[in-house]
């Protein structure tokens, strides 16, 4: 080894090509360490010296380096590494060697590829050199993009732990060799070139190492230091990479880590399908506020929160980063549609298909002229909206802007196929809102308790020059939010623990996962429990109910013209449906009598926007044209893909059409968009069906309703409104019998004004809140009446006339237009594809994974293997728990094609289909 006093060195020492680490090659090349086996302590101290850190930070750096060096040669060499040291000439092929998934600057022969250095430089820009002038370099964010692109380029060759390795490579180089401060700290391309080509560090780094002589430690201290390093690195790896480690940990530890998420896969192309909406309509729907404050902090706080993950050599990404939110299943969206075609095309907006002209004109004139397009200035994904000018519903005091989810967050879908994203409005989202809810809470907790994080948060919210007093106030407010969230979670768990369901079973949450949400129970918990508490009302936590009836997000094309939109045919009145959804997604609401009387039931609901959304979805009347004109269902995207699997087989379609008439039309009625079917089977045409009912000057389609018992499908969702009850304070005077009978002539029997069925309580409360919102918005009485229309806010009476063979509760059967875009199937998302939907129920997969998986155009949905292992971050759907017991809400029985329906054959709806018949029917369903 060189004597430090003899500097400068001639960097001519040979370095083995089997040492692929540029930093270690520099240490060997300049003689700071030997090229063979180097004691862990020597290596750790040398690199810590190079970092320039002092005190505890330097100690931490040494421990981290020891931990990484310990595993550098692989598990088989742990003991040798522990006692003797890392073998720097035997790193090739070990855990630290990314086998071509890294930068590829250094080849396996030890030669430097200048083209790869140029590629590295292309990710950066020019930075002001502290010594004067400017030079090319990369900051932390650009290095992160560079490393992610390396992984993307590697494709299937990249392993799950490679991101971990990368965090101990380029970010360390930035930490040690970087110039500048803060976000302007950059890694010089020139320094990188010298390091790789000459194995030489900048002089400032050399001087740091020279100034700190390496000391030899006793075996005992070496053992203690190595053990501490191993334990610390393991703990840091768990905290930094929760996606891999969190599922392995017991809950009392795992709850402090961010839930695992699938890796973001950047699409090589994206397309929004043509659905009869203009570009302006689509972007407005994606980002218009419904008056919701879904997230528990103001808008600018949310934009300042960081992801609850630990980064040791760079700052963590922001919670709102689109690339982060996409991992929860959200769809990226441009800041504005008033931009260039290249940007629009990147988001799938420029054209529907590259080979066709832009989307044609709409089939109707929208009833509302949008004053100005909704902007998405912070580049949030589809379904995120900013609510501006928010007054407190109780006090009227002006508050800060809030951020909430819109109906587009749950009712906008996309499928992935071989790197291409196909997107469509009104379809079921593949999001995991529970994981986002947990992540947001942890982000607030990390901001409060992780060192340096609150300072960065306050700098973003208040500005770097904010006073200590203002920072203290901000921290107190954030702490109040965090305390409330933690206390509320404890209250929820305490309330649910030991509480019984209507059939005397222990209440227990059912995992929602990607593409599912227990919307009905969540709305009830929000309105009849949390909103009560936030309004200062005590003892209404008892209204909480477990989230145990998750359902797939239903498609919303065509639904304005269906008498009942929900799976359980529970709500007829569109405004009540939409306002109830807004309340459930956390619109602000005052339910307190401690404020002036005219503030009771005041909310932040944007009632005009709710009305306009419904109008945009509906379009004009489908009669006399016999054609829907609002948001139409998406067409099978065969134009996008060249694979044979996407081509439509005309002969199969003909056979499938006949099968549809034989098997499907009885419940789902004739297709709404197939004139050939109408001509061949006129008696079954939906347009001549007697199920069209007059509704004012229009007609609505009353879908077929079938008994849950007879269908044999999971009953959990239908029983939420059927069985759940709530209690409310008397001063609210909800009086569902009196009010609903007076307003809608519902002919309800007498019901208590304080203890009532959840269904009636929700109907009357949302009704009152909606009327209050229209009055506060100065909507004239005659316009209010027009908005209500002729459809009532009364409980569903079920099939008419009553059919004793169809006892309550019921599910409704919707038209199947666009069914190809709605996987997984059944109301609870328990069947992964149409192929399994048309198979006997007993044969369906009972356990499969969801989240970030490719679409299967043959089976139409997701090709799964029963009991398959889930990739990192995916969620598992399973009909049974690990102990073999049935999971509430997760049955995939019923709606089974396996025989002749009849008495005593609940769940059987039709004859067994041969394999070819299944594919014939599937082929036809693709065309709807």
């Amino acid at each position: 080894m060189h004597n430090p006093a003899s500097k400068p060195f001639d960097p001519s020492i040979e370095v083995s090509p089997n040492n692929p680490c540029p930093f270690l090659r520099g240490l060997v090349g300049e003689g700071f360490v030997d090229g063979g086996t180097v004691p862990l302590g020597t290596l750790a101290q040398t690199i810590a010296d190079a970092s320039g850190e002092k005190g505890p930070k330097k100690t931490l750096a040494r421990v981290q380096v020891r931990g990484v060096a310990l595993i550098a040669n692989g598990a088989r060499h742990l003991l040798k590494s522990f006692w003797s040291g890392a073998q720097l000439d035997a790193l090739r092929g070990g855990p630290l060697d990314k086998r071509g998934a890294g930068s590829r600057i250094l080849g396996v022969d030890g030669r430097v590829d200048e083209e790869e250095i140029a590629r590295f430089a292309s990710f950066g820009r020019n930075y002001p050199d502290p010594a004067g002038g400017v030079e090319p370099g990369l900051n932390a964010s650009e290095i992160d993009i560079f490393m992610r692109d390396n992984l993307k380029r590697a494709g299937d060759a990249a392993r799950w732990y490679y991101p971990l390795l990368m965090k101990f490579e380029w970010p360390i180089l930035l930490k040690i060799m970087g110039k500048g401060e803060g976000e302007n700290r950059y890694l010089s391309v020139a320094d990188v070139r010298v390091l790789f080509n000459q194995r030489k560090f900048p002089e400032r780094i050399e001087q740091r190492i020279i100034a700190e002589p390496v000391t030899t430690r006793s075996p005992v201290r070496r053992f203690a230091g190595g053990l501490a390093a191993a334990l610390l690195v393991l703990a840091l790896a768990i905290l930094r990479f929760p996606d891999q480690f969190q599922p392995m940990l017991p809950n009392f530890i795992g709850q402090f880590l961010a839930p695992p998420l699938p890796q973001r896969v950047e699409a090589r192309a994206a397309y929004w399908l043509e659905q009869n909406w203009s570009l302006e309509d689509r972007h407005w729907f994606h980002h218009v506020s419904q008056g919701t404050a879904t997230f528990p902090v103001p808008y600018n706080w949310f934009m300042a929160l960081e992801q609850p993950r630990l980064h040791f050599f760079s700052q963590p990404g922001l919670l709102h980063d689109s690339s982060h939110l996409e991992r929860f299943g959200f769809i990226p969206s441009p800041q504005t549609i008033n931009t260039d075609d290249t940007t629009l095309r990147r988001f799938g907006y420029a054209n529907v298909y590259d080979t066709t002209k832009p989307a044609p004109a709409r089939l109707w004139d929208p009833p509302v002229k949008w004053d100005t397009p909704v902007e998405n200035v912070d580049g949030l994904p589809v379904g995120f909206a900013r609510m501006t000018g928010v007054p407190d519903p109780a006090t009227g005091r002006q508050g800060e802007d809030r951020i909430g989810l819109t109906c587009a967050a749950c009712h906008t879908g996309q499928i992935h196929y071989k790197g291409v994203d196909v997107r469509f409005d009104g379809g079921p989202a593949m999001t995991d809102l529970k994981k986002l809810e947990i992540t947001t809470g942890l982000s607030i907790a990390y901001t409060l308790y992780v060192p340096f994080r609150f300072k960065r948060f306050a700098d973003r919210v208040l500005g770097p020059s904010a006073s200590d007093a203002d920072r203290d106030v901000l921290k107190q407010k954030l702490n109040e939010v965090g305390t409330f969230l933690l206390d509320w979670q404890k209250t929820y768990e305490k309330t649910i623990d030991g509480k019984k369901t209507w059939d005397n079973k222990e209440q227990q949450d059912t995992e929602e996962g990607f593409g599912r949400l227990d919307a009905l129970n969540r709305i009830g918990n929000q309105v009849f429990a949390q909103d009560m508490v936030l309004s200062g009302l005590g003892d209404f936590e008892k209204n909480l109910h477990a989230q145990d009836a998750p359902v797939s997000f239903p498609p919303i094309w065509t639904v304005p013209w269906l008498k009942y939109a929900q799976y359980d045919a529970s709500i007829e009145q569109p405004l009540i449906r939409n306002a109830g959804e807004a309340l459930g997604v956390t619109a602000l609401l005052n339910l307190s009598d401690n404020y002036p009387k005219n503030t009771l039931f005041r909310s932040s609901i944007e009632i005009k926007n709710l009305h306009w959304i419904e109008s945009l979805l509906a379009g004009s009347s489908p009669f006399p044209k016999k054609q829907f004109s609002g948001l139409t269902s998406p067409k099978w995207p065969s134009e996008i893909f060249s694979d044979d699997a996407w081509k439509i087989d005309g002969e199969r379609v003909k056979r499938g059409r006949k099968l549809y008439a034989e098997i499907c039309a009885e419940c789902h009625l004739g297709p709404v968009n197939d004139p050939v079917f109408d001509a061949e089977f006129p008696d079954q045409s939906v347009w001549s069906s007697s199920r069209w009912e007059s509704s004012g000057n229009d007609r609505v389609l009353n879908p077929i309703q079938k008994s849950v018992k007879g269908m044999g499908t999971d009953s959990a969702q239908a029983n939420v409104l059927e069985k759940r009850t709530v209690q409310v304070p008397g001063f609210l005077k909800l009086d569902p019998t009196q009010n609903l009978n007076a307003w809608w002539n519902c002919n309800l029997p007498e019901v208590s004004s304080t203890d009532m069925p959840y269904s009636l309580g929700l109907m009357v409360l949302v009704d009152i809140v909606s009327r209050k919102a229209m009055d506060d918005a100065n909507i004239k009485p005659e316009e209010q009446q027009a908005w209500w229309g002729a459809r009532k806010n009364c409980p569903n009476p079920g099939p008419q006339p009553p059919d004793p063979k169809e006892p309550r509760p019921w599910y409704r059967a919707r038209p199947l237009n666009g069914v190809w875009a709605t996987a997984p199937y059944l109301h609870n998302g328990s069947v992964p594809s149409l192929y399994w939907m048309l198979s006997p129920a007993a044969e369906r997969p009972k356990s499969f994974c969801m989240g970030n998986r490719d679409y299967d155009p043959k089976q139409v949905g997701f090709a799964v293997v029963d009991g398959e292992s889930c990739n990192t971050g995916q969620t598992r759907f399973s009909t049974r728990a690990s102990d073999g017991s049935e999971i509430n809400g997760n049955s995939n029985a019923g709606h089974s094609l396996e025989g002749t329906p009849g008495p005593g054959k609940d769940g059987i709806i039709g004859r067994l289909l041969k394999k070819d018949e299944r594919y014939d029917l599937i082929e036809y369903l693709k065309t709807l």
Side-chain angles (χ1 to χ4, degrees):
M1 183 180 295
H2 287 294
N3 180 350
S6 67
K7 298 297 289 181
F9 299 130
D10 175 14
S12 59
I13 300 174
E14 289 296 323
V15 181
S16 169
N18 290 320
N19 177 351
C21 175
F23 193 85
L24 294 178
R25 291 175 67 81
L27 291 179
V28 174
E30 295 217 52
F32 290 118
V33 298
D34 290 328
T37 300
V38 181
L40 299 183
T42 300
L43 192 61
Q45 183 174 346
T46 304
I47 296 178
D49 293 342
S51 73
E53 298 285 12
K54 302 295 181 183
K57 289 187 176 181
K58 183 173 183 178
T59 301
L60 178 61
R62 289 177 61 170
V63 172
Q64 291 174 355
V65 172
R66 286 181 73 115
V68 174
L70 180 65
I71 66 168
N73 296 112
R76 292 179 300 171
H77 302 276
L78 278 178
L79 289 179
K80 182 176 181 180
S81 299
F82 190 86
W83 289 111
S84 302
Q87 303 147 65
L88 301 190
D89 57 358
L91 297 177
R92 181 71 67 187
L96 301 190
D97 181 7
K98 292 181 290 299
R99 297 173 175 84
S103 68
R104 300 183 185 173
I105 292 176
L106 190 71
V108 293
D109 56 359
R111 297 179 182 274
V112 174
D113 188 334
E114 279 292 335
E115 290 186 0
E116 292 294 341
I117 292 183
R119 173 178 171 271
F120 167 76
S122 71
F123 285 84
R125 55 192 171 92
N126 286 331
Y127 285 88
D129 187 340
V134 296
E135 63 175 335
L138 282 75
N139 69 5
S141 176
E142 291 158 347
I143 286 175
D144 186 61
I145 294 171
F146 167 68
M147 292 189 301
R148 284 194 278 114
D149 196 73
N150 291 341
L151 290 174
K152 179 181 176 183
R153 176 174 65 170
D156 293 339
R159 300 185 181 180
W160 69 266
Y161 57 84
Y162 283 2
L164 174 60
L165 303 182
M166 289 181 171
K167 295 302 179 184
F168 291 93
E169 184 182 88
W170 292 100
I172 287 185
L173 286 180
L174 175 66
K175 176 74 175 179
I176 295 177
M177 294 175 51
K179 302 177 181 179
E181 299 296 333
E183 294 184 358
N184 288 322
R185 186 173 180 82
Y186 70 97
L187 182 60
S188 165
V189 174
D191 286 348
V192 168
R193 178 173 280 108
V194 170
L195 178 61
F196 273 93
N197 280 308
Q198 302 179 35
R199 302 183 296 280
K200 179 176 175 60
F201 296 112
E203 183 177 352
R204 63 186 183 278
I205 309 302
E206 295 173 346
Q207 293 305 316
R208 289 177 190 168
I209 302 175
I210 292 170
E212 300 283 349
V214 176
T215 58
T216 303
R217 299 192 171 194
S218 69
V220 174
R221 295 185 67 187
R222 286 168 55 195
F223 177 84
L227 182 61
L231 293 175
L232 181 60
V233 167
L234 177 62
L236 293 176
I238 290 173
L239 288 171
R240 175 61 185 85
F241 294 91
D243 290 334
Q244 286 73 37
F245 292 102
Q246 195 261 7
M248 307 176 192
L249 300 173
N251 184 59
F252 72 92
I253 297 176
Q255 64 181 328
F256 298 108
L257 303 181
L261 300 171
Q263 282 297 318
R264 172 178 176 261
V265 179
E266 189 172 352
R268 58 181 174 83
Y271 302 88
W272 282 98
L273 298 183
E274 197 283 312
Q275 293 178 263
N276 196 42
W277 273 3
S278 70
L279 205 63
E280 292 77 13
D281 297 335
R282 173 165 275 154
H283 200 252
W284 182 87
F285 174 72
H286 290 172
H287 297 292
V288 68
S289 174
Q290 295 175 227
T292 60
T294 313
F295 298 92
V297 293
Y299 183 91
N300 63 330
W301 293 19
F302 182 82
M303 303 305 291
L305 288 171
E306 295 175 348
Q307 298 167 24
R309 296 161 185 264
L310 298 182
H311 288 237
F312 309 119
F313 302 102
S314 62
Q315 293 181 16
L318 293 173
L319 181 66
H320 78 268
D321 285 348
S322 183
S323 59
H324 178 235
L325 295 176
E326 287 171 46
R327 298 178 67 190
F328 294 91
F330 292 100
I331 300 171
S333 183
Q335 294 174 300
T336 177
I337 56 174
N338 296 316
T339 184
D340 59 276
D341 269 5
T342 301
T343 301
L344 289 175
R345 187 174 300 282
R346 182 159 54 89
F347 289 96
Y349 269 95
N351 286 334
V352 180
Y353 308 126
D354 284 338
T355 57
T356 63
K357 60 185 179 181
R362 291 169 295 203
L363 301 176
W364 94 111
D365 291 326
V368 177
K369 304 298 183 186
W370 319 125
D371 295 329
T372 56
V374 169
E375 297 298 300
N376 178 32
V377 294
D378 290 302
L380 295 170
V382 170
F384 285 74
R386 183 173 190 163
M387 179 168 55
T388 58
V390 188
D392 183 281
T395 66
R397 266 197 307 269
Q398 193 73 18
E400 297 184 76
D401 290 358
R402 302 297 296 267
I403 180 170
L405 297 179
T406 76
C407 52
C410 299
H411 300 288
T412 308
Q414 71 173 346
I415 60 172
H416 313 279
Y417 184 76
K418 295 184 178 179
V420 175
D421 286 351
V422 176
R423 299 164 181 167
F424 37 86
D425 284 303
M430 193 50 67
T431 53
D432 191 327
L433 297 185
K434 182 67 174 182
K435 284 188 176 183
L436 179 59
E437 182 181 276
I438 294 171
T439 301
T440 303
L442 284 172
S443 178
I444 293 171
Y446 278 40
T447 302
L448 289 167
Y449 299 114
V450 174
F452 313 113
R453 196 161 289 204
F454 178 78
K455 180 183 183 303
R456 297 196 296 266
F457 172 77
D459 286 347
R460 297 185 185 105
V461 173
L462 303 173
S465 60
S467 67
D468 289 342
D470 287 342
R471 291 172 184 267
D472 289 342
V473 171
L474 178 64
K475 190 165 190 176
Q476 180 181 352
K477 290 180 178 178
L478 185 65
N479 188 64
E480 289 173 358
V481 173
T483 300
F484 175 81
L485 293 177
L486 182 60
D487 289 346
W488 183 255
Q489 182 60 30
K490 291 179 179 177
T491 297
Y492 175 81
E493 292 172 355
K494 182 179 178 181
T495 303
I496 299 305
D497 186 29
K499 193 173 184 179
K500 303 288 187 179
T501 60
W502 61 272
D503 55 354
N504 206 37
K505 294 178 182 177
E506 296 286 340
Q507 287 195 19
Q508 185 176 359
D509 283 354
T510 296
E511 183 177 10
E512 294 165 317
F514 282 98
R516 301 203 312 163
L517 194 76
D518 185 358
L520 277 180
N521 275 322
R522 280 177 171 266
I523 291 173
N525 290 347
Q526 179 66 44
V527 174
F528 291 107
Q530 189 168 105
D531 283 341
M532 297 278 190
V533 170
L534 291 171
S535 295
L537 305 178
D539 198 34
F540 288 98
E541 300 89 339
K542 59 191 174 187
N543 283 333
L544 286 167
H545 192 287
Q547 297 164 12
D548 61 358
V551 298
S552 175
F553 303 112
I556 58 174
W557 49 73
T558 312
V559 299
W561 300 104
L562 299 182
K563 186 173 183 179
Y564 298 105
Q566 281 77 14
Y567 289 117
D568 60 356
S570 54
I571 301 176
E572 178 183 354
Q573 217 322 301
L575 193 56
I576 297 297
R577 173 196 349 122
N578 295 333
E581 177 262 337
L583 288 176
V585 189
T586 323
L588 306 180
L589 176 64
N590 176 40
L591 296 174
S592 172
D593 61 347
N594 291 328
Y595 299 93
K597 186 177 180 180
N598 70 336
T599 66
L600 188 62
F601 297 112
R602 179 165 286 163
S603 71
S604 62
I605 286 176
E606 295 280 5
I607 199 72
K608 289 183 179 179
N609 288 346
L610 293 181
H611 173 66
W612 291 343
I613 288 172
E614 185 71 11
S615 300
L616 190 63
L617 290 169
S620 56
S621 174
F623 290 97
K625 291 183 178 181
K626 299 181 180 180
Q627 182 181 40
F628 291 111
S629 65
L631 179 66
T632 55
S633 53
K635 300 298 183 184
W636 180 256
S638 54
E639 295 94 337
I640 293 177
F641 302 106
S642 58
D643 297 28
D644 288 342
W646 289 90
K647 295 177 181 178
I648 297 293
D649 185 327
E651 292 303 314
R652 279 196 181 275
V653 169
K654 291 178 182 178
R655 296 193 296 268
R657 183 179 288 114
K658 293 178 181 178
L659 286 168
Y660 184 98
E662 174 194 343
I663 293 172
C664 306
E666 177 184 352
C667 293
H668 293 282
L669 306 179
V672 302
N673 52 1
D674 182 12
V676 177
F677 182 96
D678 297 337
E680 290 186 8
F681 306 98
D683 293 342
Q684 293 178 297
S685 171
V686 69
W687 300 108
S688 59
S689 172
S690 61
R691 303 200 67 82
W692 287 98
E693 298 179 0
S694 295
S695 177
N697 295 325
D698 287 316
R699 285 191 279 174
V700 294
L701 183 65
N702 189 357
I704 299 286
Q705 297 177 51
K706 288 290 184 179
S707 165
V708 173
K709 181 178 183 299
M711 292 303 295
T713 50
D714 192 279
S715 62
Q717 200 263 355
N719 280 322
V720 174
L721 293 182
E722 182 75 7
K723 304 292 185 180
R724 185 175 173 179
T725 60
V726 294
Q727 296 180 16
V728 298
F731 72 82
L732 290 179
K733 298 180 181 179
L734 292 188
D735 298 320
T737 304
Q738 177 182 336
N739 286 325
L740 295 179
N741 284 349
W743 295 331
W744 303 104
N745 194 26
C746 290
N747 196 29
L748 291 174
E750 191 65 34
V751 174
S752 168
S753 62
T754 57
D755 296 78
M756 62 192 67
Y758 168 39
S759 57
L760 292 182
L762 185 63
M763 292 172 78
V764 70
L765 185 142
V766 176
D767 203 318
I768 295 172
V769 170
S770 300
R771 294 172 189 272
K772 177 66 176 171
M774 285 193 280
D775 289 341
D776 288 344
N778 297 315
I779 308 298
K780 296 178 180 179
E782 59 272 20
E783 191 172 0
Q784 290 190 29
Q785 189 57 49
W787 283 16
W788 285 118
R791 295 164 69 175
K792 294 184 176 184
N793 183 26
C794 296
N796 171 24
Q800 296 298 310
D803 185 350
K805 294 183 297 184
E806 301 289 347
R808 62 185 313 135
W810 309 280
Y811 286 134
R812 63 99 175 99
R814 71 172 184 87
L816 294 182
N817 52 316
V819 68
W820 68 268
T822 62
Y825 297 98
L826 286 184
H827 68 278
N828 60 351
S830 60
V831 182
S833 69
L834 281 180
Y835 179 83
W836 292 115
M837 194 69 233
L838 299 177
S839 303
E843 298 178 7
R844 296 168 185 162
K846 305 301 180 186
S847 174
F848 56 89
C849 308
M850 292 304 300
N852 193 15
R853 64 184 307 158
D854 262 14
Y855 186 86
D856 180 1
K858 183 177 180 181
Q859 290 196 4
V860 180
F862 303 100
V864 306
V865 176
D866 198 3
E868 62 190 357
S869 297
C870 295
N871 293 331
T872 298
Q874 290 182 333
T875 54
R876 178 177 297 281
F877 170 86
S878 182
T879 61
R880 293 186 178 273
S882 56
D883 62 2
S885 60
E886 293 182 353
I887 297 177
N888 194 67
N890 277 14
S891 170
N892 69 353
H895 199 283
S896 184
L897 294 165
E898 57 179 281
T900 304
K905 297 183 177 180
D906 292 342
I908 297 177
I909 64 165
R911 68 174 177 84
L912 180 69
L913 295 178
K914 297 176 183 177
K915 189 173 183 179
D916 271 351
E917 288 181 312
R918 294 179 203 175
Y919 281 117
D920 288 344
L921 185 50
I922 287 172
E923 199 75 2
Y924 177 63
L925 292 174
K926 292 177 184 179
T927 68
L928 300 185

